[in-house]
Amino acid sequence: MRLSEAADAYARELADVRRLSAATVRAYAGDLRDLVAVIGDRDLADVDLEHLREWLWTATRRGDARATLARRTAAVRGFFAWARQTARLEVDPALRLVAPRRGRSLPKVATAPAMTAVLTDAETRAHGGDAIALRDAALVELLYASALRVSELCGTDVDDIDRERRTVRVVGKGSKERVVPYGAPAAHALDAYLARGRSVLVGRGSGTAALFVGARGARLGARSAYDVVSRVVSPTVGQSVGPHTLRHSAATHLLDGGADLRTVQEMLGHASLGTTQIYTHVSAERLAAAYRQAHPRA
């Protein structure tokens, strides 16, 4: 079997059997296509460890980030392990392939006062009753209130909102469902949008169950949601930000406010507590910065 044929079969396995997200499948399939481009579309059994090391070295020389190299390594290790398990190979050439050590970078976080200013400004613009302004205010409020991923936000339907309990039901990575709370300001923004904004926007299209819709009445996509956040948040925060910055900010502010790590993990939908722990480092950085600025003997 040729390497490209096996790679296509593996991508179908990830999508149809393991049910990984479309973004993950695209990333892994892209990594394997890159492998084929570098070492050639040779017979699967002819690929050895040196071919894989050559591929990673090529990626390193062209400037791929360490996180990208680590993901590429994980992709080919998973691919060749699958090929061995499904009897497409007798020997796994990726067993001794070592991923480069990933650097740990802290996520961008907006300060709590900056977020207050952003949301106050969005609420003020929504008071005029413009449907887009009402939608934008509700979108930013919900992203920040519930620390949602942008894919979760865009996949949410109106029926997923429980307005009485102030919760939203979302489907996260691995098709895992969770229910996340939101606060009174987000509830106020959502109520205003549902009462006076969404109906106007949906009326311009053919009808949809989506909670957030675009100017033509169709479900809002991730790219459009990113543009909304960038337009609403970036001028006040002072840096270019997207939906994930609101997720990072919400998690950090929850911990700053005394929430325990396990609760934040459940709210974010992280499978591992270790993934959530990066936000404790963010909080520690903020504490250290405040100490250095304010303490007379810092």
Side-chain angles (χ1 to χ4, degrees):
M1 175 178 272
R2 310 301 292 181
L3 179 57
S4 60
E5 294 176 297
D8 290 342
Y10 182 59
R12 290 193 294 271
E13 162 84 10
L14 295 180
D16 300 337
V17 179
R18 303 188 192 180
R19 302 185 66 81
L20 299 186
S21 70
T24 300
V25 174
R26 282 195 301 270
Y28 277 31
D31 292 337
L32 294 174
R33 284 195 300 271
D34 188 67
L35 175 64
V36 172
V38 171
I39 71 172
D41 193 13
R42 61 187 67 242
D43 192 273
L44 186 62
D46 291 339
V47 180
D48 59 25
L49 180 60
E50 290 309 310
H51 287 128
L52 301 180
R53 286 173 172 168
E54 174 192 350
W55 170 60
L56 283 182
W57 175 237
T58 300
T60 301
R61 284 186 299 176
R62 72 183 175 216
D64 285 10
R66 281 185 293 181
T68 302
L69 295 172
R71 191 203 65 222
R72 291 188 185 280
T73 305
V76 297
R77 284 175 66 92
F79 167 66
F80 283 105
W82 165 82
R84 175 71 181 83
Q85 292 163 3
T86 55
R88 288 174 169 83
L89 276 178
E90 292 184 4
V91 178
D92 182 350
L95 279 176
R96 293 190 292 120
L97 186 66
V98 178
R101 182 173 296 177
R102 292 185 62 171
R104 191 177 187 90
S105 59
L106 298 180
K108 290 181 181 178
V109 174
T111 65
M115 285 307 306
T116 298
V118 165
L119 297 171
T120 300
D121 185 53
E123 182 183 14
T124 299
R125 288 198 300 272
H127 278 161
D130 177 72
I132 295 294
L134 286 162
R135 181 205 64 190
D136 292 353
L139 185 150
V140 174
E141 278 279 11
L142 187 60
L143 274 174
Y144 178 61
S146 299
L148 301 182
R149 299 179 178 95
V150 66
S151 59
E152 296 168 347
L153 177 97
C154 293
T156 300
D157 291 337
V158 173
D159 290 344
D160 294 326
I161 296 289
D162 187 330
R163 297 164 73 177
E164 182 178 345
R165 293 184 174 86
R166 294 208 305 237
T167 61
V168 54
R169 178 170 54 87
V170 297
V171 178
K173 290 185 175 180
S175 299
K176 294 180 180 177
E177 184 180 294
R178 71 184 190 281
V179 175
V180 189
Y182 58 85
H188 176 76
L190 277 170
D191 287 347
Y193 165 63
L194 290 171
R196 296 183 283 124
R198 183 181 179 277
S199 57
V200 174
L201 297 175
V202 171
R204 300 172 184 173
S206 57
T208 176
L211 175 62
F212 290 106
V213 296
R216 297 182 180 179
R219 182 181 296 273
L220 197 72
R223 180 70 257 179
S224 296
Y226 187 101
D227 291 342
V228 169
V229 173
S230 181
R231 171 166 45 81
V232 173
V233 180
S234 296
T236 301
V237 172
Q239 57 180 333
S240 179
V241 301
H244 227 59
T245 299
L246 299 187
R247 178 171 163 88
H248 293 321
S249 302
T252 302
H253 298 164
L254 279 167
L255 290 169
D256 286 345
D260 67 273
L261 196 60
R262 183 70 67 180
T263 299
V264 176
Q265 177 196 5
E266 293 177 0
M267 186 166 178
L268 294 174
H270 285 160
S272 166
L273 190 63
T275 307
T276 314
Q277 283 178 329
I278 190 171
Y279 297 109
T280 64
H281 294 282
V282 175
S283 293
E285 285 281 315
R286 292 159 65 86
L287 177 61
Y291 179 86
R292 288 191 296 267
Q293 182 177 351
H295 198 286
R297 295 184 66 82

